[in-house]
Each structure stands twice: as structure tokens, then as C-alpha cells.
Amino acid sequence: MGRPRSAPLSIRTRMVLYFFAALIPLTAASLASFTFSQGLLRSARSMFDSNLFLDSLSDAITNVDGSLREYLNSRNSDMLPLYYRDSFALQRNIAQLPDTITTNQHELSLRLLRQLLIRYQEEADAALNAKRGRLVPDYSDHYRLSLRLLDYIHLLVLNMNWVDFMGSLNEYLNFSQWFARIQLYEMILVATVALGGVLLIALLSYRLTRPIAVLADQAATIAHGEFSIPDFEPDGASSEVRRLAEAHNSMKHSIATFIDELKEKSAIERELMEQHIQNLRMKGLLNAAELMALQAQINPHFLYNTLNIGLQLAVVENARRTTDYLDRLAEVFRYTLSSVDKAVTLKEELDALSAYIYVMETRFGSRITFEVNASPDCADVRIPPLVIQPVVENAVHHGLSNLEKGGFVSVTAQHVNNQTRIEVKDNGSGIPPGRLDELLTHDFSAEGMDSAFKGRTSGHGIGLANVVHRLRLFFNRDDVVFIKCPSQGGTSVVFLLPLQPEKEMKHV
Amino acid sequence: MLFIAAGVTVLVFFLFALFQLVRLFGMAGGVLAAPRPPESSSLRYHVLLTIPESGDPFEDQLLRDFRAALAERKSQQEWDIAVQISERFPFMDSRQSVSRTVQMAMLAGLDGLIVMPPDPEFGTEIENVAGGGLPVVTVGRNAGRTASHVFVGPDDFEIGSMVGQTMAVLAGSPRSVGMLYSGKSLADANRSAVVQGLRSTLISSLGMDIAGIQPVESLYISATLAAEKLLRLHPDLDTVYCDTLPATLGMAQAVIDRNAVGKIRIVGTGMNARLEELLKERVVEASVVFDTREIAETSLDTMNELLHNGTRGSQTAVKVVPYLRPTSVSVRHAPATERTNG
């Protein structure tokens, strides 16, 4: 029992997934590179901002020192406003410096600078005030100290810039050594993503088009009438292709079923047509046989009616033998005149034959002996009517009629090897070989029948040929009648009839 | 198959590049966001720390240990002390830079100063600053004990005694002992505690005095020249003590140059890779190693006490922590084959 298959993805979903699979790593790498570049830039910008601020501080304190020096060296107060202006500017710069004590080294340095600046400003103010108070030694001391502080402040600013620069430089150097490698691997990443994209597109197009191509091949095969190909199983295909495949398979089955039905119907129609043609032929033969019988017996109905009158007279006159004779003869006529287009049982055929034999025995007396032996289990075998009597008649008229005595005709019927074997055998003169071939290959077309009737005075056996042809048609096979004429004389006509006729004739 | 092979190859390269990028970004990110100690604001005391950067590994190691101690100690916030580590000023030598820093701390009115004197003579400047009311802790190198500042570092006298004892247990008693002293003059040397400790031990243990002392600057070239001078002036020396790493390396080079390895035994100071090799080769018999981390920790503790006990500006209330605990000083011996006393 396999794992339940998950629902196939649609073409759109697959394309979106492939797209993201290719794009996300590239985007991530680019974003990371961008972020770190920005970080480096921010670091450099921060360093430059810090440098600029410290430089402005140096400028401010230099200005203060300049204006203070000029004031101290002058004899008037003209430079005093300038000093205050510079001093105010310095104060604004000092106000930007942090006064909080933190563990951040840079902020501690700024605070140290702030402390020095404040101290400087105090000493500068003290020098100025001493000058205004004309306390020369004091302002000289304060000014010297301010100069010393100025020196330290410049030194500290220089040091801070230097430290910032070295720190940023180290940061940059550290980063740059990785940046080159980062660029290299980014190139590799981009190249692999591009190649992977190409492969993914190739894979996508292959997986999309392969089932469709297979489907097209199958459709072409089906178009050539080959429906036995296996169903198309689009493993791993998209949902759209799967639906297409299901529709294709369903359509294939529908068409195959429809064609099979058409073939079957066509076969049935063909068989029916063949049966119809056989029936027509059989009817033609029967008509021919009937015509021959009528011509042979002039007018069987007239004779039958006449015989009936004779039979009534015989009954009235109490002529028993005559009565029996006429009764059997009438039976022969009745059977002959009965519907000839329906199959009869062997029993019915043999009953009619016994009437005929009675008539013949009456006619020929002891010259011909008749013997009928039929197995009871053959009674229900269905055969065309008037197939045994014509053979017996043929034996009597063409084989035994010239015999003065000792004529013998036997009729046997039995099941042999899943067949019904009916044999009419006589000890007459037999049938000439040429005539025998003619009987078995007689032409029952209209022209053939005309020819047969025209030559009737010179040759007999049309009835036997008719029987042969009707049996072949009835059983739809040629090997049903066998005629043997041994050299010592006599004729054996054997019907080998299938127990189950392949196609039983309803109308014979 | 070709398609699968191409796909696998591309995937392998892709994963390799991605892995490398993640790794590099991590490393680069570590640089950009450089690890900094957790920052605290609104602290109370602003203390300046300055240590000379003359190339002496002891100084470098001490500075690293200060940084480590500050980074690891959350108690920095508990102390209310922010320690600013002074960078060496550009275009100045180590002594000038330390001197300017000390003056700057005093003029700016900071709350405290932790300083390692560049040399013993620096004590005067420290005394001036401390005398101005700035709490000062000197570390690593003693620049003269006064009541106005605190020294945290090795006990020089004890070091001298330990060196003397070490010499006494070396294979074969020393016949003549000399010393390279990191100072300017012989007078300074004779006044120094380490010389006094060594001399005291030699006299008591071996009944001998130091045969010769050669002052030396803390530079390797100067030390080599001073070592050659000492050996030339005292050709009978068979054991020499050097009180700095450069002096030790200089003496070792001089001994090697004289092809006197094994004949002149060296007891040095400090440790680096080169000295490790010299110890293995038995060029140097032993070396005095300082526990710089202990010095850093103790210095910070001492400054904390100075500030929180309200001693600022009061010389009499300054707590003196004169010497580091003896356990902080160890003597690392070369692999001895005939040692009689561990």
C-alpha cells in the first residue's frame, strides 16, 4: 500500500516556486552585501562626522585663543567682543559634548575633552578678567595654563581622530579582506543561480512538455486505429496535464468501445445478410425441386385430390389393399406438397419415407427390398425436408429399376462421433464417375437449372444434386454429403450432419 | 543523466558559495559589530588608565588583562566607575605619552588615575599628580612608595629573594652573580627593592654579594649591548639575573654570541615564545613571571576602594596596598635535570 500521493501542483504554482527558488538566494546574497556595504559606509560616515566635529572644536578653541591673545596684547577692549563671540561659539560646541559617564570609550574621551575645554575656558576667562583687573602676573599664569590646556586639547583631538582613523582603517582592512572573497563567492552564487535558473527552466519546460508530447504520440497512434496501447500515466505532471491525460484515456476507451460495437454490429449484419442470401438460394432450390416435382407429377394437387376420391371409393368398396396404397401415396403427396421452407425432424422425414417405400414396395414387389434403421436418439435431428426420399427415389429409378430381382435399399441413421450419420445404400448399378462429379458440383443458377431440365431425358440425378446443395446450404459447410460408388456396384450416399447446426435455418 | 549531473554540480557550487558567504558575512558582521563590553550610563566616577606601550610584552599583557577585566566585570557598574583606557599619543614615545596623559587627567579634574610608570623615575610625576588630590593607583612597576598613591604589583624585594633562592638551588652553586637592572643608574639599582632582596638572599644563602650590576633600558638592542658590557667587565660571572624581558633576551643573545651557554646561567623575567625556546634549550635557567590579570583585578578593586571611601583629596586617608600577594609571582624553571629543590 503506497503512500497517498499529494495533489499535483498546477503549472502556475510550479513556475512561481521555480522562480522563487532561483530568486530568493540571489536576493538574500544581494541584500546581505548591501547591508554590510551600508554598515561600512555608516562607519566611515560616522568617523568623518566625528572628525569634522572635533576639527570644529579645534577651530573654535583656536579662535578663542587667538582673540584672547589679541585682547591680552592690546591696550584697549576692542577685541573683547570678538573674544566673547568666540567664547560663546566654543560654549555651544562644549554643550554638544557628553557629560554623562558611561563605559563607552569614545564617550569617555569626549567627556575628557569636555572637561579640558571647560577648564580651558575657565583659565581663559580668568586670564581675561585678570587683564581687565590689571593683575598682570595672574593673567600671565592663567594664560600660560590655558596654553598648556590648549596644547593638551589639540593633542587629545589629534589622538581621538587618530584612534578613530586607525579604528576605521582596521575595520575597513578587516572587512576588505573578506569583501574581496565575498565578491568572489557572490559571483559564484550569481553564476550558479543563473545556471540553476537555466536548468530549472529546462527542467520545467521538459516536465511540462514531455507528458504533452507523449500524449500527442498516443493520440497519433490512436488515430491509426491502435487502441491497445496502455493508459497514459503522467507521473509527476501538473494538474492540468493530469486532467488532460484523464480526458485522453477516457476518450480512448470510449472510442475503442464504440468501434468494437460497430464491428460487432457490422459482423451481425454481415451474417444476417449471408443467411438471407442462403435462404434465397435455398428457396430457389426448393422452388426448383418443387417445379421438378410438379412437372414430374404433372399436377400433384390434382393427383392428390384425385387420389383422395379414389381412396374414398376404395373405402366404400372395402378394398383394403387399395385403400392402404392410396392412403400412403396420398401421404407422400401431402408431404411433398407441405411447406418445404421449414426444417423437419428426421422422424418426420422417415415417416414420409416409409409411406414412399410402401408405395415403391407395392410397385416393385419383391424386386426391391427396403430397410430403414434409425436410432431413436436421432429422431429429433432437424434437417431440410425431402432430402432422404429423393436419394431413395434416385436409387430406385437409376440404380435398381432395371433389376428383375434382388434390389436392396437400406436407410440407416445413427449418431457417430458427435454427428448424425444417415446413409442410403443400394446395390444398384451405381453412378458413372463423370455423373458423380456433376452431381456434386452441379450449377444451381438459373442457367444451370434450365440446362438440367433440358437434359433431363438423357440424364437423371437432378434431385440428388438438389439435395446435396440444400444440405450444404442448410449446414453451411461442404462436407455433409459423401457419395461412394464401389467398382463392384451399388451406391452409398452418406449424410454426415452436425448434431448442432451452426446456424439453424428457420426458412429452408 | 547529463541533466542530473549538471544540476548536482550547480547545486554543489551553489551550496558551497552560500556557505562561504554566510560564514564570511558572519565574520565581517563580527567586525562591523565589533564585540564591545556592555555599556553602562550614568556612572559616577571617570577614571583614566594609562599603560606605556614600549614594546615590553609585560605591558602589552597587562593592558590586555585590564581590557579583559573591564569587559568581564559587570561590577564596573556596581562600582559606579567608568575606566577610560588611554591610547598612546601619535608621534610621541611611550614615556611622553604616559606623562601627557597623567597631566591631562589632572588638569581635566578626573576622578582617578591608574597608571603604570614607564620607569622608576616616573614616580616624581605621579607624586605631583597624587599630591594634587587625584587618587592614583600605580600598577606593575613600582615607582617609589609614597603615602599619596597606591602601588599594585609584584613585591620587588620578594622577587629579589625568590631569584636568589632559585640561584641557590641551581646545579652547581654560583661563584659570581651579576644583574641587568632596568633603570638609569647604578645608584637607582642599589636603592631598588629587587636588588636589595637578591643581595640579602645571596648573602644569607651563599655568602656572596652581587658582583656586578649593569643598568639597562627596556629595549632589546640596548639590553644586548648592556649584557655584553656586563660580561666584559665581569668575565668571571657564571649567573646573571635580568629584571625585564628585553634584558633577559639581550643577555641570552650575548651568552649565545659568547658561546657560553651552560657556563653562564640566566634567571630572567617575563615570558614570550622566544623565551620559551630559550628555556627549553637551557640558555635561560628560569624566569620570573607576573600574574598580570591579578594585577589588573587588584588595581581596579583598589581604585574602587579609594573612590568609595571618600579619600579623594585626602592624602592621609589613602589606603596603601603596597605589594601584590606572593602567589601572584611565580618562577618558571627550565626543565632541570639536576634540580635538588622544587
Side-chain angles (χ1 to χ4, degrees), chain A residues 25 32 36 101-105 108-109 111 115-116 119 148 151-152 155 159 178 181 189 192 199 203, chain B residues 3 10 14 23-25 27 29 31 39-40 42-44 46 82-85 90 100 103-104 107-108:
Chain A
F36 281 93
I101 302 173
T102 72
T103 53
N104 183 293
Q105 291 295 309
L108 286 174
S109 295
R111 185 176 184 276
Q115 296 290 96
L116 289 172
R119 182 71 193 277
R148 195 171 152 210
D151 178 40
Y152 286 137
L155 188 63
N159 194 38
W178 287 310
R181 292 165 65 190
L189 194 71
T192 54
L199 289 175
L203 176 66
Chain B
F3 186 85
V10 168
F14 172 78
R23 192 175 66 85
L24 288 171
F25 280 144
M27 293 166 68
V31 171
E39 295 177 1
S40 305
S42 303
L43 300 177
R44 186 175 171 188
H46 184 171
V83 178
Q84 178 186 351
I85 300 173
R100 293 292 182 97
Q103 294 296 319
M104 203 179 288
L107 290 171

Side-chain angles (χ1 to χ4, degrees), chain B residues 146-166:
Chain B
T146 68
S148 57
H149 75 274
V150 179
F151 169 68
V152 176
D155 181 340
D156 286 350
F157 188 86
E158 189 176 341
I159 290 172
S161 299
M162 193 178 292
V163 170
Q165 290 165 8
T166 303

